[in-house]
Amino acid sequence: MKPLPYLPIEKEILYVERDHEFMQMARHTAQQGSLDKSHPTGAILVKDNKAIGVGSNGSLFHEKWGCLRKLIKAPTGKYYALCGGCSPKNHAEQQAIKDALKKGHEVKGADLYLWGHWWCCESCWQAMMKVDINNVYLPKKAWEQFGKNR
């Protein structure tokens, strides 16, 4: 597996089987809710073994204007501010946190399951650490499925 482009020193990414219940929920969220059809991503925030927040990535910006980051061949995880569609506010992780908080859930100590990506960007890690997300789970072999050919 390739080294992650960003990982806070005190954090790690954990891996579960693809058929794990919450990973399948994240997959379904990516397939049904993502506005980024080239890179659909879904996140489920889980606390006390219950899904408390859901989020998917994307916005309609790319359909209307394209992606400036792709145009300049920006490296993975860099220059999100250049593109309205790539803005971290449109990332699945941050959408799941926002959804849980909007529903009145306490997110401290929750876990996040992410489908569609092989790592979390710095902005998403900062958002997760700000609200004390406990663990981040990706499907096993996430790099081979979501990162290798990008």
Side-chain angles (χ1 to χ4, degrees), residues 40-54:
T41 306
I44 302 294
L45 205 54
V46 176
K47 187 162 185 185
D48 299 326
N49 209 34
K50 293 187 332 189
I52 61 170
V54 299

Side-chain angles (χ1 to χ4, degrees), residues 75-127:
T76 297
K78 302 289 184 185
Y79 310 118
Y80 287 130
L82 294 178
C83 178
C86 294
S87 170
K89 71 180 180 182
N90 297 322
H91 292 189
E93 302 97 318
Q94 295 193 40
Q95 289 295 317
I97 293 168
K98 183 178 175 183
D99 181 58
L101 293 172
K102 182 179 173 184
K103 293 175 180 173
H105 293 290
E106 170 61 53
V107 300
K108 182 178 181 178
D111 294 324
L112 187 128
Y113 291 78
L114 183 65
W115 177 272
H117 217 332
W118 59 283
W119 68 292
C120 300
C121 74
E122 184 174 359
S123 297
C124 288
W125 273 113
Q126 288 174 352

